[in-house]
Amino acid sequence: MALKFHEQIISDLLEDSNGGLVILSSGLSLAKLISSLLILHTPSQGTLLLLLSPASQSLKSRILNQLSSPPPPEITSDLPANHRHSLYSSGNPFFITPRILIVDLLTQRIPVSSLAGIFILNAHSLSETSTEAFIVRIVKTLNPSAYVRAFSDRPQAMVSGFAKTERTMRALFLRRLHLWPRFQLDVSQELEREPPEVVDVRVPMTSYMVGIQKAIVEVMDACLKEMRKTNKVDVDDLTVESGLFKSFDEIVRRQLDPIWHTLGKRTKQLVSDLKTLRKLLDYLVRYDAVSFLKFLDTLRVAESYRSVWLFAESSYKIFDFAKKRVYRLIKASEVKNTSGKKRKFKGVNASVEAVGGATATNGDTGVVIEEVLEEAPKWKVLREILLEIQEEREKQTLSEEDDSDNNGIVLVACKDERSCMQLEDCIANNPQKVMREEWEMYLLSKIEIRNVQTPQKKKQKTPKGFGILDGVVPVTTIQSSEGSSVCRQEHEALMAAASSIRKLGKTTASGSTNPEAQVDKASSTKGKAKKESSNLRRPIRSCSKKKTNREPEIVTGSENEEQVSEASTSAPREASDVPPNGAKKLPPVHFYALESDQPILDVLKPSVIIVYHPDMGFVREIEVYKAENLLKKLKVYFLFYDESTEVQKFEASIRRENGAFESLIRLKSSMMIPVDQDGLCMGSNSSTDYPASSTQNSLTRKAGGRKEIEKETQVIVDMREFMSSLPNVLHQKGMKIIPVTLEVGDYILSPSICVERKSIQDLFQSFTSGRLFHQVEMMSRYYRIPVLLIEFSQDKSFSFQSASDISDDVTPYNIISKLSLLVLHFPRLRILWSRSLHATAEIFTTLKSNQDEPDETRAIRVGVPSEEGIIENDIRAENYNTSAVEFLRRLPGVSDANYRSIMEKCKSLSELASLPVEELAEIMGGHKVAKSLREFLDAKYPTLL
């Protein structure tokens, strides 16, 4: 069933033959909209091309799932040229990557007149220099009647930067903007006509979780205050609410990138710390207590003294409360007074013990770890909801209500696969047993880390840091010594607990003949947990997994299509089996990871949805699913942690999207779009010649102002370079782009100039792998002027490193030292520094002046060996004999300072061998080096008598 607002969008697009830009709210089924347009396409209209990018692969899979007819195939580079030409002429829709399409357009393999239009699926990621804009400019120039339809469901991305939407429309030659927010009248009326039954469950957090969240927010606020002191970032963006989103990192880096090399280490570390703190807030409400503690331990080891947030005032609360959620330290003497229900581990050689922050001295009693293993509050609520759903269904069965449309499937939506796996364990097993397994894995990892760290590092003579970090403790009080002992005793107690678990695991694995007898023991292994819970897992269709590898079978994506019929029929039947140990029956449950981005609702068609981790896009998908199935009863449970950043982030995401649409609506009312969008002013095309505009003030001395015939400039570009935007900018400058496969170089500007382009990231990687040395060697071998182009990003600093980081000595790890050694090794190499793509285009234009145009056939053959093994078109033979030069440079007395003068004076090695010492001294610049060469040449060859 097509939604009415989808039909309205389609009719608006079909009205304008030029196309348009459609911006939807997230989750309003963009895939169904595009699939409906594909169904309406007919071969008589012409070929339709859908441009793919790596970010739009999930959208492609959703589009293919919506099509009942044969899906559009994808044109790849593996297809031969004649086959691709026939596909382009067939009139059918095809998926194609921009890199393949632009190469086929420049090589004229596409009959552009037969193209009906182009679909761009990721309009929010485009710019004026992107390959998609390059494609549209060529297509519009050769076929003005072809339409361009661009789509985006990321309104926040369309308002980032200066006039992003207006610049995108100008680059795509579009004049109409279609905005469809969630609060649009047609959309809201249709989605709210028959809304699902919604139950908002607010789960209170534990006191330790509240304390951790408060401490993280305080530390984040302290880091933001430190960031404000730099006066280098817009203060309006530095709020805790904006710091909850990933886009915050992009906003801060966008402002700091141009001056990144001038920032101090503290400011750079603050940017990284804010990202870490956002992860901590997310993991606090997403994962269990043991996993959160393990992540904190990893951060403490990985970041150590470099981090700023670890030394904030409230940071100790994060670690303290995280430990108290898992275990606590008590006196060994108190163990006798406990009931013994909880396992406790005693530390060896203990002399100090700490309980709840109180410190007691003198102790032969030792320290004992008491397990707390605090469960996530949502686990219990989730199980209660499932039991409630099962009770309601049993009541409906007894009352014999007609519910034929209800397939009985309960869908639980989580953030990631790991959460799905853990919730499966909680439903199939006792949650305390799941926490026990996580705790045992945590302790065993402590032993593994200790075994890795057995080789003790030597103490450095020059200590790093200052104060206590430097090992300087001026006064050792009783409290400080007790504190250090507490940490040591805590570590020993953890090691003792881990050792006991390891020993217990070995004994049960080797000596136990009856596994069921060991089930009630506190340290049950994974194998016994698997055997005990095998019957409990039967009622749950999608919870069939092996405990040994902990890889559950999450029913998502294509697996749903294969199992949906089986799940809808067999699962309720299996749910009627009586579980062991008197456990209550649960309905069939399917888990879905939101990060997989699959059309799970249309495949499973659930009757109950539990949103375990709220997500705005998935909430909209639920609304669309209910609007398409008006007669279906749907109940939705939302699980929120009350007064948590989870609620704040969800509400802020809705406000951010609404604010983005309000900004777009205001922008649409005052947007300036050129009336004539033919694109002729954007640059000439490779296959058409347009007269250049003559200047009004032409010099009359030049034959009465006669316009000179401009020479067409061309650049040979390697196929792999079309991943970058430089060919697009060169085309805008009026150069003819010839795409070929080059063995040597990336750009051929003239018969003697070859350019190897390197971005900053690629430059570092090429130095590390040694690939750059080989590339420069090949360019120096075949071209008279080899050029290394180092291209910086326009929005980043035009510098490798700050001036203070540049040392006087040559070090093997310094990029400046590596470049210096490269230039010394290849004296003819020229290095160009470019600030941006447009600066590179200007440099190329200057280099091509007074130069001959490159030969395409010659450039292709350079570096390619023939069947006889001789390199074809080897221009070294035209300049000098490479083998003779290498032999010359190895002779005694010949150095880098004099071998060129020897080559100028002597035409061959035989002529050099016949010169006397006096002439050699004049050529080589010294009598001593000439004498050593002469003696080497006159030396007699040894013979055997």
PDB file of all heavy atoms in Angstrom, residues 606-619:
ATOM      1  N   PRO A 606       5.786  -7.924  12.569  1.00  0.00           N
ATOM      2  CA  PRO A 606       5.509  -8.255  13.972  1.00  0.00           C
ATOM      3  C   PRO A 606       4.230  -7.583  14.455  1.00  0.00           C
ATOM      4  O   PRO A 606       3.766  -6.581  13.910  1.00  0.00           O
ATOM      5  CB  PRO A 606       6.740  -7.714  14.705  1.00  0.00           C
ATOM      6  CG  PRO A 606       7.194  -6.577  13.858  1.00  0.00           C
ATOM      7  CD  PRO A 606       6.901  -6.973  12.440  1.00  0.00           C
ATOM      8  N   SER A 607       3.669  -8.160  15.521  1.00  0.00           N
ATOM      9  CA  SER A 607       2.486  -7.574  16.151  1.00  0.00           C
ATOM     10  C   SER A 607       2.839  -6.804  17.406  1.00  0.00           C
ATOM     11  O   SER A 607       2.052  -5.977  17.868  1.00  0.00           O
ATOM     12  CB  SER A 607       1.479  -8.674  16.492  1.00  0.00           C
ATOM     13  OG  SER A 607       2.092  -9.659  17.308  1.00  0.00           O
ATOM     14  N   VAL A 608       4.023  -7.096  17.969  1.00  0.00           N
ATOM     15  CA  VAL A 608       4.501  -6.362  19.141  1.00  0.00           C
ATOM     16  C   VAL A 608       5.958  -5.981  18.894  1.00  0.00           C
ATOM     17  O   VAL A 608       6.758  -6.822  18.460  1.00  0.00           O
ATOM     18  CB  VAL A 608       4.385  -7.201  20.430  1.00  0.00           C
ATOM     19  CG1 VAL A 608       4.931  -6.420  21.617  1.00  0.00           C
ATOM     20  CG2 VAL A 608       2.947  -7.602  20.684  1.00  0.00           C
ATOM     21  N   ILE A 609       6.279  -4.726  19.151  1.00  0.00           N
ATOM     22  CA  ILE A 609       7.649  -4.235  18.977  1.00  0.00           C
ATOM     23  C   ILE A 609       8.107  -3.638  20.291  1.00  0.00           C
ATOM     24  O   ILE A 609       7.407  -2.801  20.883  1.00  0.00           O
ATOM     25  CB  ILE A 609       7.730  -3.177  17.856  1.00  0.00           C
ATOM     26  CG1 ILE A 609       7.250  -3.761  16.522  1.00  0.00           C
ATOM     27  CG2 ILE A 609       9.157  -2.661  17.716  1.00  0.00           C
ATOM     28  CD1 ILE A 609       7.173  -2.747  15.401  1.00  0.00           C
ATOM     29  N   ILE A 610       9.274  -4.084  20.755  1.00  0.00           N
ATOM     30  CA  ILE A 610       9.884  -3.525  21.962  1.00  0.00           C
ATOM     31  C   ILE A 610      11.136  -2.766  21.530  1.00  0.00           C
ATOM     32  O   ILE A 610      12.107  -3.369  21.064  1.00  0.00           O
ATOM     33  CB  ILE A 610      10.241  -4.634  22.967  1.00  0.00           C
ATOM     34  CG1 ILE A 610       8.985  -5.428  23.361  1.00  0.00           C
ATOM     35  CG2 ILE A 610      10.895  -4.046  24.205  1.00  0.00           C
ATOM     36  CD1 ILE A 610       9.278  -6.616  24.272  1.00  0.00           C
ATOM     37  N   VAL A 611      11.096  -1.455  21.664  1.00  0.00           N
ATOM     38  CA  VAL A 611      12.231  -0.612  21.299  1.00  0.00           C
ATOM     39  C   VAL A 611      13.120  -0.511  22.525  1.00  0.00           C
ATOM     40  O   VAL A 611      12.887   0.306  23.419  1.00  0.00           O
ATOM     41  CB  VAL A 611      11.773   0.770  20.805  1.00  0.00           C
ATOM     42  CG1 VAL A 611      12.970   1.584  20.327  1.00  0.00           C
ATOM     43  CG2 VAL A 611      10.753   0.630  19.684  1.00  0.00           C
ATOM     44  N   TYR A 612      14.142  -1.381  22.569  1.00  0.00           N
ATOM     45  CA  TYR A 612      15.020  -1.446  23.732  1.00  0.00           C
ATOM     46  C   TYR A 612      15.962  -0.248  23.778  1.00  0.00           C
ATOM     47  O   TYR A 612      16.211   0.316  24.831  1.00  0.00           O
ATOM     48  CB  TYR A 612      15.808  -2.756  23.683  1.00  0.00           C
ATOM     49  CG  TYR A 612      16.554  -3.079  24.949  1.00  0.00           C
ATOM     50  CD1 TYR A 612      15.904  -3.708  26.014  1.00  0.00           C
ATOM     51  CD2 TYR A 612      17.894  -2.771  25.087  1.00  0.00           C
ATOM     52  CE1 TYR A 612      16.588  -4.010  27.188  1.00  0.00           C
ATOM     53  CE2 TYR A 612      18.584  -3.069  26.257  1.00  0.00           C
ATOM     54  CZ  TYR A 612      17.922  -3.690  27.305  1.00  0.00           C
ATOM     55  OH  TYR A 612      18.600  -3.988  28.463  1.00  0.00           O
ATOM     56  N   HIS A 613      16.492   0.123  22.617  1.00  0.00           N
ATOM     57  CA  HIS A 613      17.334   1.317  22.494  1.00  0.00           C
ATOM     58  C   HIS A 613      16.621   2.286  21.559  1.00  0.00           C
ATOM     59  O   HIS A 613      16.575   2.065  20.349  1.00  0.00           O
ATOM     60  CB  HIS A 613      18.715   0.977  21.948  1.00  0.00           C
ATOM     61  CG  HIS A 613      19.542   0.155  22.876  1.00  0.00           C
ATOM     62  ND1 HIS A 613      20.311  -0.907  22.464  1.00  0.00           N
ATOM     63  CD2 HIS A 613      19.717   0.243  24.216  1.00  0.00           C
ATOM     64  CE1 HIS A 613      20.919  -1.441  23.509  1.00  0.00           C
ATOM     65  NE2 HIS A 613      20.583  -0.765  24.582  1.00  0.00           N
ATOM     66  N   PRO A 614      16.037   3.358  22.057  1.00  0.00           N
ATOM     67  CA  PRO A 614      15.250   4.260  21.197  1.00  0.00           C
ATOM     68  C   PRO A 614      16.090   4.896  20.101  1.00  0.00           C
ATOM     69  O   PRO A 614      17.224   5.317  20.328  1.00  0.00           O
ATOM     70  CB  PRO A 614      14.738   5.315  22.185  1.00  0.00           C
ATOM     71  CG  PRO A 614      14.818   4.673  23.526  1.00  0.00           C
ATOM     72  CD  PRO A 614      16.001   3.754  23.464  1.00  0.00           C
ATOM     73  N   ASP A 615      15.502   4.937  18.917  1.00  0.00           N
ATOM     74  CA  ASP A 615      16.150   5.559  17.766  1.00  0.00           C
ATOM     75  C   ASP A 615      15.082   6.269  16.951  1.00  0.00           C
ATOM     76  O   ASP A 615      14.029   5.676  16.638  1.00  0.00           O
ATOM     77  CB  ASP A 615      16.861   4.498  16.912  1.00  0.00           C
ATOM     78  CG  ASP A 615      17.543   5.091  15.703  1.00  0.00           C
ATOM     79  OD1 ASP A 615      18.606   5.715  15.856  1.00  0.00           O
ATOM     80  OD2 ASP A 615      17.000   4.933  14.584  1.00  0.00           O
ATOM     81  N   MET A 616      15.330   7.532  16.606  1.00  0.00           N
ATOM     82  CA  MET A 616      14.314   8.329  15.933  1.00  0.00           C
ATOM     83  C   MET A 616      13.948   7.748  14.573  1.00  0.00           C
ATOM     84  O   MET A 616      12.771   7.670  14.205  1.00  0.00           O
ATOM     85  CB  MET A 616      14.820   9.764  15.765  1.00  0.00           C
ATOM     86  CG  MET A 616      13.846  10.698  15.080  1.00  0.00           C
ATOM     87  SD  MET A 616      14.549  12.324  14.780  1.00  0.00           S
ATOM     88  CE  MET A 616      15.859  11.911  13.630  1.00  0.00           C
ATOM     89  N   GLY A 617      14.934   7.311  13.800  1.00  0.00           N
ATOM     90  CA  GLY A 617      14.648   6.759  12.487  1.00  0.00           C
ATOM     91  C   GLY A 617      13.795   5.503  12.558  1.00  0.00           C
ATOM     92  O   GLY A 617      12.873   5.315  11.751  1.00  0.00           O
ATOM     93  N   PHE A 618      14.079   4.634  13.526  1.00  0.00           N
ATOM     94  CA  PHE A 618      13.294   3.403  13.644  1.00  0.00           C
ATOM     95  C   PHE A 618      11.879   3.702  14.116  1.00  0.00           C
ATOM     96  O   PHE A 618      10.921   3.011  13.719  1.00  0.00           O
ATOM     97  CB  PHE A 618      13.995   2.451  14.614  1.00  0.00           C
ATOM     98  CG  PHE A 618      13.362   1.093  14.692  1.00  0.00           C
ATOM     99  CD1 PHE A 618      13.410   0.233  13.604  1.00  0.00           C
ATOM    100  CD2 PHE A 618      12.721   0.685  15.840  1.00  0.00           C
ATOM    101  CE1 PHE A 618      12.820  -1.023  13.672  1.00  0.00           C
ATOM    102  CE2 PHE A 618      12.137  -0.567  15.922  1.00  0.00           C
ATOM    103  CZ  PHE A 618      12.180  -1.422  14.829  1.00  0.00           C
ATOM    104  N   VAL A 619      11.702   4.716  14.948  1.00  0.00           N
ATOM    105  CA  VAL A 619      10.351   5.104  15.373  1.00  0.00           C
ATOM    106  C   VAL A 619       9.521   5.542  14.166  1.00  0.00           C
ATOM    107  O   VAL A 619       8.336   5.176  14.026  1.00  0.00           O
ATOM    108  CB  VAL A 619      10.434   6.225  16.425  1.00  0.00           C
ATOM    109  CG1 VAL A 619       9.052   6.787  16.734  1.00  0.00           C
ATOM    110  CG2 VAL A 619      11.083   5.706  17.690  1.00  0.00           C
TER     111      VAL A 619
END
